[in-house]
Amino acid sequence: MSRKPSIAEIGAFLGHLKAARNNDSDTGPLLAEKADLLERIAEANPGDRDAAQLAREARAAANRAQRKGR
């Protein structure tokens, strides 16, 4: 089982999100970071179907962004 994201990791993600909002950077890495965090949250809460669904959707969006960036 993976470990839940720490407050510092979530804070860092929010900082990356804010920075991306202020410029026209590639959102692919940001989507992948979001998916990683949500997957870890879902793994730490195996009975939470909503968390699992959000993680799947986030990973699919990150994968689509990666394919477009190629």
Side-chain angles (χ1 to χ4, degrees), residues 2-4 8 11-12 15 17 19 22 26 28 34 38 40 44 47-49 51-53 55-57 59 64 67:
S2 72
R3 123 190 117 69
K4 292 190 285 187
L17 181 62
N22 295 331
D26 177 19
K34 176 183 172 183
L38 289 173
R40 287 172 49 200
D48 189 337
R49 291 181 184 168
Q53 182 62 32
R56 283 191 296 274
E57 291 171 7
R59 180 55 60 199
R64 283 191 302 273
R67 285 192 296 272

Side-chain angles (χ1 to χ4, degrees), residues 19-62:
R21 217 176 53 181
N22 295 331
N23 61 42
D24 290 329
S25 64
D26 177 19
T27 60
L30 186 62
L31 290 172
E33 184 179 4
K34 176 183 172 183
D36 291 342
L37 291 172
L38 289 173
E39 286 170 343
R40 287 172 49 200
I41 290 168
E43 288 173 13
N45 298 287
D48 189 337
R49 291 181 184 168
D50 291 335
Q53 182 62 32
L54 285 172
R56 283 191 296 274
E57 291 171 7
R59 180 55 60 199

